[in-house]
Each structure stands twice: as structure tokens, then as C-alpha cells.
Amino acid sequence: MHPLKQLMNPASLAFWGASNNPMKMGTIQLTNVLETGYHGEVFPIHPTESTVLGLPAYKSIMDVGRPVDLAQLTLPTDVVPGVLEECGRAGIRSAIVISGGFKEAEGAEGKRLEREILEIAHGYGIRFLGPNCVGVFNSLCNLNSTTIPRPPGGGKIALASQSGAYTAMINPFLRSEGIKICQTLSVGNEADIDLTDCLDYLREEPEVRAVGLYVETVRRPLEFIEAARRIVREKPVIAVYVGGTEAGSRSALSHTGALSGPDAVYEGLFRQAGVIRADDIDEMLDFLRALAAQPLPPGRRMAVITNSGGPGTSLAYHVEKEGMIVPPFSEGLCERLDAITGRFAFVRNPIDLTFEVDLSIFKRLLEIVFESGEVDGAFIYGIFGWADFMTNLEKRFPGIEQMRESWESAYEGFLEELAAVPRAHGKPLFVTSFIDAGGSSLRTLIEGDVPVFPSASRAARAMRALLDYRLIHEREGQ
Amino acid sequence: MHPLKQLMNPASLAFWGASNNPMKMGTIQLTNVLETGYHGEVFPIHPTESTVLGLPAYKSIMDVGRPVDLAQLTLPTDVVPGVLEECGRAGIRSAIVISGGFKEAEGAEGKRLEREILEIAHGYGIRFLGPNCVGVFNSLCNLNSTTIPRPPGGGKIALASQSGAYTAMINPFLRSEGIKICQTLSVGNEADIDLTDCLDYLREEPEVRAVGLYVETVRRPLEFIEAARRIVREKPVIAVYVGGTEAGSRSALSHTGALSGPDAVYEGLFRQAGVIRADDIDEMLDFLRALAAQPLPPGRRMAVITNSGGPGTSLAYHVEKEGMIVPPFSEGLCERLDAITGRFAFVRNPIDLTFEVDLSIFKRLLEIVFESGEVDGAFIYGIFGWADFMTNLEKRFPGIEQMRESWESAYEGFLEELAAVPRAHGKPLFVTSFIDAGGSSLRTLIEGDVPVFPSASRAARAMRALLDYRLIHEREGQ
């Protein structure tokens, strides 16, 4: 069993650094552990308090009197070695060291302390995350040991990061975008467990369908490439690398003691490893939600279906700019589309339905287009959701609210059916829309695993990532 | 006076195509005119109804019996010429023709009808937007003649677009992002008024500080370049062009009858015109909100201030990737910063304040950094807003809610002071943050004209646009 399996799925957790003072980082973390509904047992360790957050507190791990799977240490730097030693004596074999002040700090003392805790861990067979990290999240056992309330759970995306911010502070952003997360691992200074270990662990996690990495350095390049090539046979890996400029490199060194390298070196490393590079965290999340949700396109021919000319043109442009094509449809396919729409002479690919159209038509058009064999994937720009059109109308037309509700519910039915089409045909569908971004219509699509992007360029780049991964997957021979 | 001045600021509006049927496009538009609180008089014209939306309706514009400034025609294609003729006879000199089915339609009839309405307009001296457009918005007189509720008003950004979607359907997105808009013009097929006219008009609008264009074609390239060079002496112009691929070109032709050209030709045209090109609508809005709000950087040296290592490293990387530099601070400046923070040996540029820090420090650090003369602009990544940290704590610690409220209000005071620093020093500040994206803290910054971006790359590209505009401004000799 991979050592991270126990660390990420502990039956019990001993916690150092939480008290009854809500302004302490450890207290905020343990509060989140409890409020997230962690499935296991929790043992707060505190030198003076008899209870912490309503739980019985123990003076020492030795007083707990039964085996404990995981220790989290949110403690001043200088007491970490002693507590880790105690953990070892108590039989704990997994730890998360939140504390900073180790290798990333200036001067020799931090580096010495980091070597010391690594030696202690080796002596007892303890594997640990950190130091200088923010904790973990695992939706499978509701473990959230960070300071931030959990991200939306139930997803197929895992994040492993040399930045804590990008695994926890990011949660409000994930909520607002509707991006569901399965597991997050903040690796900090990587004294012991590093991103390479995370790749090996996440490969074996069946719920995880796509992995995102935030990288300031790769500490074991050869092992990283090997681990990456193993995992990308089964699931895609997307990485953000920001160490490759003078200031980026200087910043990374002080952040996690990372020795970064030139951008081109990492570009080559990722390419060799079969890892797809994203420009920044937002693009990484675009790629991940697309890869985790949609089938891979068998080729690069794309359909564009729109009910608004500008977004349709934008999609056509960006899809081609990203190396795909938007082929004109054959005469036969056009005739079948005309039979559905009852209209003629509207352009075929993009299909522009213009303003007034029965919105259920999207699903029927998409099915015919996919069945034709003339495309490998599709984009829809849709004016989805009635809410905005109705806002002012409802003030003038009493009763329209009821109509709206019945339309919206019918419309959500159409969208559920639409969302089922890609998987039935083994071809991906992305949606772009400005309308009703946080509204129920788009939520229906997102729940149905159809990614919704606000712009054509973001949707096109995400489709390109699917194509890139298909090539990687073929190359790695699975 | 520029003809768009009257069209966009009419004292009165005659409206064709609205009825008491809420499912008609014209009814939705007129409802928005009324609900947006349009400052002028409104005269619905309808063949059979005696009132429309509670207003007295007129069988013909001739029955109104007084001068009218603007006509909006949301009518079937074939009746448009006759109604436009009536408008001319009634002395109306500005019109918006919403109706489609003209040049953009396949076949000869639409093209003939478009020539016909243009001849009628010329005969009477009518200037008009469209056909095949969605209406206009002007926050100065609360005129919103589109189908979509108004965008956030009071802004300094104007949009002129060959796509209606990108001036109206986009409003929910603008609301969710907190992007305030002053005026929007949907130009449709540009039979008469085109984007070049819009540039000349918007140059003279003092409230407008930045102009965005969505472009599928430039119909009068030489005049466009001249108009653009005139306006960019006073305010920046950002353009999105999507006609430059095979399918983009095909789509544009059917959308607004636009004859687009190769990407490189337009790239050169924009460069010559002093127009900054954005990749897509979302990037255009990033550039616009930055340019409309912040002073231009005198040079390319940037400070990065962060309380989280990963985002700080990401900012340092992306700022340098976009051609700016993040210079290490001098010894003297470091000493002044140390005196403020009471800490030593934290890295200087990026300045990483790490987790636990008095948040009012941002303002004092920024002032010292700006005063030093060592940088020309700044980026802050901030964990702004307490909301997310407190969500779970409040369940466990009764009373903390009150503390949170008093902190939040103090914190908003700090942010108001922070937002005033850039203008006082004539150097730009951008913020990136994932925390509390829709929350009150970030709203305080946005209200204070500090743009907030979710990612480092977006913030860096927007700063690059400010530098690009500074160069254009210098080149055009003002």
C-alpha cells in the first residue's frame, strides 16, 4: 500500500496546535476537521487544556492509549522534532507538519532542523507531508485539515501543490466556479513526500480522473518522469510551473526552498513526462474540469452550434487557432439538420440558430452532428437560462413568473438530456455562455459533467488539452 | 455635433415592435427601456393596441404630433423600409434598426433591402445603427434598448461591437465580475454607422476612459486607422478580432455580412492604428477595467507584495514573462520595509508577508515602495476577507460573528486607504485574490478602482496592456 493511502485515509488523527483560542491556526484547522465531518476519531494533544473544541484533550500522545494513524503538527518550529519523536514512539507512521521556519527560512538553523525531522522520521518509518504546508483534503473520508472550508466535493480532480494557497485558499474560487475536488495535497518543502510520490499515490486512486500540479521545482527529475509516465497511461496530469524567470526563481527559493530551473528545461521535462503544461492555475482548472468530465475527441474536427453570431464566430476562430478545424458539413448532413430546424440556408458549421429558437433543438442537432461521423467533438454557445430576460418583464407582467418556472424546469430537462449526449457518442461537448453564469441552467450542465466556460478562447484551449492528452495516452501505449 | 451624440442621448424615443405580448423581442426591449429609467419620453407605435406597457400607443409616428429624436425598429424585415421612410417624413434623424434578414442573409433580396434602407436614410439625413443589431445602452441617460437588463453603470468603459451578444448578453457576466459600463453600441451590419464612427463619437465623450471593440471586419480601413489614431491620443482602444481563420471568416460573413481578412493583416492594421489587441472578450474586459481605472506605469519595474508564497511566485513569474521586471529592492528600501514589518530576512520583491500579518500593513508597504522610486507599479496578492476563515469557526465559537463584523469593517477601511495609494503616487496597483471573490472586501477594492483578478497571469497581461498603451500614447504625440 502506498504510504499516502494511510495518510490521506486515516482512521484516526492526533492533532497538535489546536486550543480553544479561535485565533490560532491550529484551532481553525481542527474546527474544519470537525465541521467537515471527518469520518475518523480525533485526539487533540494539548499541554494544559482538558478539552479542545469539546473533545477530550491529551497531555501527550502517550496518554491516548491506542494506535493512531495520522499526526498533524501545527506547532512552533523548535518543538516539532520532539513531538515527531513522540509520534514515532507512539507508533504513528503518517504525519503532516504544518509548521514553517525550516529549509525555506534564511540561515542554517532551519535547514538543520529540517534534516533533523527527516532523520527522526526515517528512524521510525514515518512518512510525512511538509514542513511548511497547509494540510490536506480528502472528500472520500471528509478529512479537511486546512484553515479553509472544504471545496465542493464529489469531484474527480486531485491537486498536489508546492503552494498551500493553491490547494486551500483557492476553495472560494472553486465554489464560485462549480469545480468539484476529490483530494488535495499540500506538499510544502517536500522534506519527505514530494510531488513524485503524490503521482504514484494518485495513480492508484480510482475516483481521481485528472491530476493538477503546482510546481516550483521538481526535486527528483528522473523519478518524476517515470512516475508521470506511469500515471498518464491512466489519467492526465496538468502542471503549472512558475520558477523559470529570475524573480520567479528567487521567490520559489524563499517560499519552499525550491531550486527551480530555466523555463525551457521544465518545458522539456514535462513534455518527456507526458505532463500537459498550463499557463496558470485558472487554466489548469479549465483543463482539469474538461479532462475529468468529457470523453476524449477521436480527432480534431469540431462542430460549433450557437444561437448568437459573435460567440459562434469567436468559437470558430479560437478552435482553429488551437489547431483544430471547423469543417463545413456535407450536403447530406445539412439536409438532415434542415429537417430538424425546418429552416434552410443557415450556415453549416458554425450552425447559427439566431435569437428565436426552441431550445430543445440543441440536443437533437448535437445527436445528428455526432452520428454523422463528420466531427469529433462539439462546442455550444447557448443563451441558457431565462432569468435575465425575465427580470424586468416580471415587473410588468404579473403571472409571468409562473410561466418562467415551468419553462425553466422543462428547460433543465432539455439540458439534462443534452448533457448525456457526449458520453453516449464518445465525443466531447463544451459549452460557453455569459448568461446566467451562477444560475440553475448552467448548474444543470455542470452537474451533468459538461464544462461551461465564459469565453471561446478558454473553451478552445481546454479542448486542445483533451487532444494533447489523447496523443500522450497513445504514445504511452495504453 | 457627432450624429451618435443624439442617437445615444435622445430626449425622446419612438418604438416600433413592442406590444403587450411579453414574448416579443420588442416588448422585452421596451420593458427594459422603461424599467431602466430612461430619462426621455417614449412613444410606442402599434397598428392596433391603444396602450403598450401602460403608455399611450400611436398608430403612426405622424400621430405623435411633436419632434422625436430616435426611432428603434424591432420589426419584420419587409416592413422596415416603409417605417424608415415614415421616420424620415416625421423628421426623425436617428434610428436603430434591430431587424435582421438584410445583407447577412443568403440570397440577393436581403442585400437589396439593405441598399434600400440606406438610400432612404441618406435621402432624409437619417443616421442609423444596424440593421441586425441588438440596441444600445447609455448609463448617462439610462437608455437600455436591448433585451437584457442593464450592466452595472457608472463606469468609464464603452463597448462598440459587431456582435450583439458581446454588448448585451454579456451583462450577467459583467455584473458577476463587477465591471461597470458607461455606454454600449451594437453596430450589426453597419449599413450606415460603423465602428469607425463609434471611435469618433466616443473620443468626444468625456466620461468614457477606455473603449473596447469586437471586430469581424473593418469596412473602411484607412478611415479606421485615422479615427483610431485620433482617439488613442486621449484614451485607449482594445480590440478583439476573430475573422482571421477559415471558419471564423465563413461565420463572420453569415453573421453580419462581414468580409474579414487574414489574421496578420488585422494584426498589422491594429498596430498601425494604435489599437491594442486582446485574445478574447474576457481578456478585453480585463484590459479595459485596468486601463479605465489605474494610472499608467512610468516604466516596467514592478513590486510584488503577497501573503502567500505560491501566488507571489506566480506573480513574479508572469510579470517577467510579460516583459516587465521584478527588481530586488535596494538595501535602503529593505531597511525601511523592515522598520514597518518589524521583521527581517523576508525576501524583498516579492515581499512575502506569510500567513499571520496585520492586514493594514499592505497600505504602508505600498506607499514606501512607491515613494522609493524603485518600481513603476505594484501587484498585491492578498488573502482578503475573513468570511471563509470564519465560516466554520462561527459554528463553534458563539460571539465570533460580532468580532468578525468589527474586523471586516476596520478591514474595509484599510482597503479604502489602500485603493487611494495608486492615484496619489501616479503608479498602478492590481490585486489578485481567490478569497471572497464576490465578497465585500474585494468589492471595496473594485469600488476604489483597483482591479481584482483571480489569477497572476491575467493581472500581468493587464499590466502589460497599460505599458503598451503608454507607448502608443507617447508615439501618437500627446
Side-chain angles (χ1 to χ4, degrees):
Chain A
M1 192 173 74
H2 194 281
L4 275 167
K5 187 76 187 170
Q6 173 166 321
L7 192 152
M8 291 296 285
N9 296 273
S12 51
L13 167 66
F15 200 103
W16 282 259
S19 66
N20 296 307
N21 177 353
M23 294 299 91
K24 292 291 180 188
M25 191 194 285
T27 309
I28 302 176
Q29 290 167 337
L30 188 58
T31 300
N32 283 337
V33 169
L34 301 176
E35 290 295 334
T36 308
Y38 166 52
H39 294 168
E41 282 186 293
V42 179
F43 306 105
I45 315 294
H46 196 277
T48 55
E49 301 279 2
S50 62
T51 66
V52 166
L53 297 172
L55 296 172
Y58 299 81
K59 296 240 177 309
S60 153
I61 183 66
M62 296 307 176
D63 300 336
V64 171
R66 53 188 132 161
V68 171
D69 281 351
L70 175 65
Q72 177 155 322
L73 282 61
T74 306
L75 291 167
T77 317
D78 54 352
V79 304
V80 169
V83 169
L84 200 62
E85 182 88 40
E86 279 182 49
C87 288
R89 285 205 301 272
I92 297 179
R93 294 296 171 256
S94 301
I96 300 170
V97 182
I98 302 292
S99 322
F102 291 88
K103 186 170 59 187
E104 83 283 5
E106 284 193 25
E109 178 61 8
K111 287 164 193 63
R112 192 196 62 71
L113 278 168
E114 186 155 321
R115 280 194 305 273
E116 185 181 346
I117 62 170
L118 189 58
E119 278 162 24
I120 293 166
H122 281 170
Y124 288 101
I126 298 171
R127 300 301 307 267
F128 68 98
L129 282 170
N132 187 30
C133 65
V134 306
V136 298
F137 169 69
N138 187 353
S139 72
L140 303 173
C141 61
N142 283 352
L143 175 62
N144 173 20
S145 73
T146 77
T147 54
I148 309 287
R150 62 174 292 167
K156 301 160 190 166
I157 295 170
L159 304 175
S161 172
Q162 288 169 353
S163 157
Y166 291 142
T167 64
M169 311 310 167
I170 201 176
N171 291 354
F173 181 76
L174 299 173
R175 272 193 290 278
S176 73
E177 299 270 311
I179 302 171
K180 291 184 277 187
I181 299 291
C182 185
Q183 302 190 38
T184 69
L185 299 100
S186 160
V187 296
N189 290 1
E190 298 184 316
D192 178 28
I193 295 170
D194 63 10
L195 291 180
T196 302
D197 295 310
C198 293
L199 290 181
D200 277 330
Y201 161 65
L202 292 168
R203 179 167 55 85
E204 295 172 0
E205 290 294 284
E207 297 81 5
V208 173
R209 292 275 303 276
V211 175
L213 304 178
Y214 169 84
V215 180
E216 294 185 353
T217 188
V218 168
R219 296 180 203 269
R220 301 182 287 152
L222 294 181
E223 291 88 341
F224 177 88
I225 291 170
E226 284 168 17
R229 292 187 63 180
R230 279 192 297 273
I231 186 172
V232 299
R233 281 177 210 139
E234 296 168 38
K235 53 192 86 171
V237 178
I238 312 294
V240 170
Y241 175 66
V242 293
T245 68
E246 191 279 322
S249 166
R250 182 156 34 88
S251 179
L253 182 62
S254 74
H255 174 216
T256 54
L259 287 165
S260 52
D263 211 73
V265 170
Y266 274 75
E267 185 78 28
L269 183 149
F270 291 137
R271 199 157 292 178
Q272 206 182 336
V275 168
I276 296 165
R277 189 173 177 188
D279 184 49
D280 203 349
I281 297 298
D282 46 356
E283 184 168 276
M284 181 179 89
L285 291 167
D286 279 355
F287 292 1
L288 288 170
R289 64 176 138 168
L291 282 156
Q294 287 288 300
L296 298 178
R300 62 194 191 98
R301 301 164 306 160
M302 296 292 148
V304 173
I305 306 173
T306 179
N307 51 16
S308 189
T313 307
S314 296
L315 277 168
Y317 171 82
H318 284 286
V319 167
E320 293 195 336
K321 195 176 154 211
E322 291 299 325
M324 295 164 276
I325 52 174
V326 183
F329 295 147
S330 69
E331 278 301 306
L333 177 52
C334 288
E335 281 167 23
R336 268 168 288 158
L337 295 171
D338 285 345
I340 293 290
T341 60
R343 298 194 294 170
F344 299 90
F346 69 106
V347 175
R348 283 71 177 241
N349 214 16
I351 303 175
D352 185 357
L353 298 165
T354 72
F355 183 76
E356 286 176 297
V357 73
D358 166 15
L359 293 160
S360 71
I361 209 169
F362 279 118
K363 183 214 167 198
R364 288 177 287 151
L365 291 176
L366 185 66
E367 281 180 327
I368 286 173
V369 165
F370 275 172
E371 277 162 13
S372 74
E374 295 186 18
V375 301
D376 304 299
F379 296 82
I380 291 179
Y381 171 87
I383 297 169
F384 292 126
W386 291 96
D388 228 55
F389 288 102
M390 296 294 169
T391 307
N392 286 335
L393 276 186
E394 285 176 9
K395 297 174 193 162
R396 297 267 162 174
F397 295 93
I400 211 168
E401 200 177 333
Q402 272 182 315
M403 287 169 66
R404 174 172 71 93
E405 279 166 18
S406 81
W407 291 335
E408 281 194 339
S409 114
Y411 194 37
E412 278 173 34
F414 298 144
L415 291 178
E416 278 172 24
E417 290 176 19
L418 179 67
V421 175
R423 211 159 295 278
H425 289 79
K427 294 174 181 175
L429 168 67
F430 293 170
V431 162
T432 74
S433 180
F434 288 121
I435 288 286
D436 194 31
S440 61
S441 304
L442 295 191
R443 275 204 307 275
T444 304
L445 283 172
I446 292 167
E447 286 300 314
D449 269 349
V450 176
V452 178
F453 300 99
S455 77
S457 55
R458 284 174 61 179
R461 285 198 295 267
M463 188 66 86
R464 170 61 184 265
L466 264 65
L467 273 168
D468 286 348
Y469 179 59
R470 190 175 61 85
L471 292 177
I472 289 165
H473 194 255
E474 283 167 7
R475 184 189 79 179
E476 297 301 327
Q478 190 89 1
Chain B
M1 191 173 73
H2 194 282
L4 275 168
K5 187 75 186 173
Q6 172 166 321
L7 191 152
M8 291 297 285
N9 296 272
S12 51
L13 166 66
F15 200 102
W16 281 260
S19 67
N20 295 306
N21 178 352
M23 293 298 92
K24 291 293 180 185
M25 192 195 283
T27 309
I28 302 176
Q29 290 168 337
L30 187 58
T31 300
N32 283 337
V33 168
L34 301 176
E35 289 295 336
T36 307
Y38 165 52
H39 294 170
E41 280 185 295
V42 179
F43 306 104
I45 314 294
H46 196 280
T48 55
E49 300 278 4
S50 62
T51 65
V52 166
L53 297 171
L55 295 172
Y58 299 82
K59 297 239 177 311
S60 153
I61 183 66
M62 295 307 176
D63 301 336
V64 172
R66 54 188 133 162
V68 171
D69 280 351
L70 174 65
Q72 178 157 323
L73 281 61
T74 306
L75 291 168
T77 317
D78 54 352
V79 304
V80 170
V83 169
L84 199 63
E85 180 88 40
E86 278 182 53
C87 289
R89 285 203 302 270
I92 298 178
R93 295 297 169 258
S94 301
I96 300 171
V97 182
I98 302 294
S99 322
F102 291 89
K103 186 169 60 187
E104 83 283 5
E106 284 193 24
E109 178 60 8
K111 288 166 194 62
R112 191 194 63 72
L113 278 168
E114 186 155 320
R115 280 194 304 274
E116 184 181 346
I117 61 169
L118 189 58
E119 278 162 26
I120 293 166
H122 280 170
Y124 287 101
I126 298 172
R127 300 300 307 266
F128 69 98
L129 283 170
N132 189 27
C133 66
V134 306
V136 299
F137 170 68
N138 187 353
S139 72
L140 303 174
C141 60
N142 282 352
L143 174 62
N144 173 19
S145 72
T146 77
T147 55
I148 309 287
R150 60 174 291 166
K156 300 160 190 163
I157 295 169
L159 304 175
S161 172
Q162 289 170 353
S163 157
Y166 290 142
T167 64
M169 311 311 168
I170 201 176
N171 292 354
F173 180 74
L174 299 173
R175 271 193 290 277
S176 73
E177 300 269 310
I179 302 172
K180 290 183 278 185
I181 300 291
C182 186
Q183 302 190 40
T184 69
L185 299 101
S186 161
V187 296
N189 290 2
E190 298 183 317
D192 177 29
I193 294 170
D194 64 10
L195 292 180
T196 301
D197 295 311
C198 292
L199 290 181
D200 277 329
Y201 161 64
L202 292 168
R203 178 168 54 86
E204 294 173 0
E205 290 295 284
E207 297 81 4
V208 172
R209 293 276 302 275
V211 175
L213 304 178
Y214 169 84
V215 180
E216 295 185 353
T217 189
V218 168
R219 294 179 204 270
R220 300 183 288 154
L222 294 181
E223 290 89 341
F224 178 88
I225 290 171
E226 284 168 17
R229 293 186 63 179
R230 278 192 297 272
I231 187 174
V232 299
R233 282 177 211 141
E234 296 168 37
K235 53 192 88 171
V237 177
I238 312 294
V240 170
Y241 175 66
V242 294
T245 69
E246 191 279 321
S249 167
R250 183 155 34 88
S251 179
L253 182 61
S254 75
H255 175 216
T256 53
L259 288 165
S260 52
D263 212 73
V265 170
Y266 274 76
E267 185 78 27
L269 183 148
F270 291 137
R271 199 157 293 176
Q272 208 182 332
V275 169
I276 296 166
R277 190 174 176 186
D279 185 48
D280 203 349
I281 296 299
D282 47 357
E283 184 167 277
M284 180 178 90
L285 291 167
D286 280 354
F287 292 2
L288 288 170
R289 63 175 138 169
L291 281 157
Q294 288 288 301
L296 298 179
R300 63 195 190 96
R301 301 164 306 161
M302 297 290 149
V304 172
I305 306 173
T306 179
N307 51 16
S308 189
T313 306
S314 296
L315 276 168
Y317 171 82
H318 283 286
V319 167
E320 293 195 335
K321 195 174 156 214
E322 292 298 326
M324 294 163 277
I325 52 175
V326 183
F329 295 147
S330 70
E331 278 302 307
L333 178 52
C334 289
E335 280 166 24
R336 268 167 289 158
L337 295 171
D338 285 346
I340 294 291
T341 61
R343 298 192 295 169
F344 299 90
F346 70 107
V347 175
R348 283 72 178 241
N349 213 16
I351 303 174
D352 185 356
L353 297 166
T354 73
F355 184 77
E356 285 176 296
V357 74
D358 166 16
L359 293 160
S360 70
I361 209 169
F362 279 117
K363 183 213 166 197
R364 289 176 287 151
L365 292 176
L366 185 65
E367 281 180 328
I368 287 172
V369 166
F370 275 173
E371 277 162 13
S372 74
E374 296 186 19
V375 301
D376 304 298
F379 296 82
I380 291 179
Y381 171 87
I383 297 169
F384 292 126
W386 291 96
D388 229 55
F389 288 100
M390 296 295 168
T391 307
N392 286 335
L393 276 187
E394 285 176 11
K395 298 174 191 162
R396 297 267 161 176
F397 294 93
I400 211 169
E401 201 177 332
Q402 273 181 314
M403 287 169 65
R404 173 172 71 93
E405 280 166 18
S406 79
W407 291 335
E408 281 194 340
S409 115
Y411 194 36
E412 279 173 34
F414 298 144
L415 291 178
E416 277 172 25
E417 289 175 18
L418 178 67
V421 175
R423 211 159 296 278
H425 289 80
K427 293 174 181 176
L429 168 67
F430 293 170
V431 163
T432 74
S433 181
F434 288 121
I435 289 285
D436 194 30
S440 61
S441 305
L442 295 191
R443 274 203 308 275
T444 304
L445 284 172
I446 292 167
E447 286 300 314
D449 269 349
V450 175
V452 178
F453 301 99
S455 77
S457 55
R458 282 174 61 179
R461 283 198 296 266
M463 189 67 85
R464 169 63 183 266
L466 264 63
L467 274 167
D468 286 347
Y469 179 60
R470 190 176 61 83
L471 293 177
I472 289 165
H473 194 256
E474 283 166 7
R475 185 189 78 179
E476 298 300 327
Q478 189 90 357

